[in-house]
Amino acid sequence: MKVKLPLITAAALLISSVSFASEWQQQTGWVLAYSHDSQGNVVSGDISTLSDAIANGADVKVNYDSSSAGYATFFDCEWTFVKSDYVACTNTSHISVQSALGSNFGFQDNAYHWYIMVNTEGKRDMSRWRVGAHESVGHTQDRTAMNWWVRVN
């Protein structure tokens, strides 16, 4: 059952709780298809639901565990790889921000491209490169809990 929420400002949405962000996602046609912990163990949903939706052309969005920071972060999968029990996706369109909250709102003065690749085993790979230069700013590999959302158009 969908719950109708009052209209809010974009700023309020940005600083809202993870649970509110989840409710908003559902209202806009996104459905939580699969969740796993940092080791890839199922928390909710079914991997076949996710992989079937992708194989049938669904849009995919991922959010990873940022609950300790008090906000929710979502990114669109621009490229997906799927087989029956495994999904991976990448996003390469992000430019670094100084902050998305408060008085520091804006892009960094010395901005970089931020590329991310994640999979349903809990693995996350991030690479950062200076805008306008082929200069690495760092490469991080770690594991994190993730939620995988789908929207069938």
Side-chain angles (χ1 to χ4, degrees):
M1 179 176 144
K2 290 185 178 179
V3 177
K4 296 289 183 187
L5 298 174
L7 294 175
I8 60 172
T9 64
L13 177 60
L14 188 60
I15 61 175
S16 66
S17 70
V18 172
S19 63
F20 179 84
S22 296
E23 298 260 347
W24 180 83
Q25 292 287 74
Q26 290 173 353
Q27 288 187 28
T28 57
W30 291 93
V31 176
L32 180 61
Y34 188 69
S35 296
H36 57 79
D37 66 15
S38 63
Q39 298 305 305
N41 299 310
V42 178
V43 172
S44 68
D46 185 281
I47 189 73
S48 64
T49 300
L50 176 61
S51 59
D52 289 350
I54 295 167
N56 286 300
D59 293 327
V60 183
K61 185 178 288 209
V62 175
N63 81 289
Y64 52 84
D65 188 8
S66 58
S67 58
S68 61
Y71 58 85
T73 303
F74 294 82
F75 64 88
D76 294 316
C77 293
E78 297 171 337
W79 173 88
T80 54
F81 173 87
V82 61
K83 63 180 196 176
S84 61
D85 60 347
Y86 175 88
V87 175
C89 89
T90 62
N91 181 293
T92 60
S93 63
H94 180 75
I95 302 293
S96 62
V97 295
Q98 178 173 309
S99 175
L101 303 171
S103 61
N104 289 332
F105 178 83
F107 292 103
Q108 293 179 346
D109 291 335
N110 198 0
Y112 54 84
H113 293 279
W114 178 67
Y115 308 127
I116 185 167
M117 179 185 299
V118 296
N119 70 21
T120 51
E121 295 175 341
K123 294 178 182 176
R124 175 175 58 182
D125 189 275
M126 299 174 283
S127 184
R128 296 164 294 283
W129 294 83
R130 290 274 175 236
V131 173
H134 189 68
E135 175 187 335
S136 177
V137 184
H139 187 181
T140 308
Q141 292 181 324
D142 62 6
R143 298 182 80 91
T144 188
M146 290 176 240
N147 298 306
W148 296 75
W149 300 79
V150 296
R151 180 177 64 186
V152 178
N153 294 328

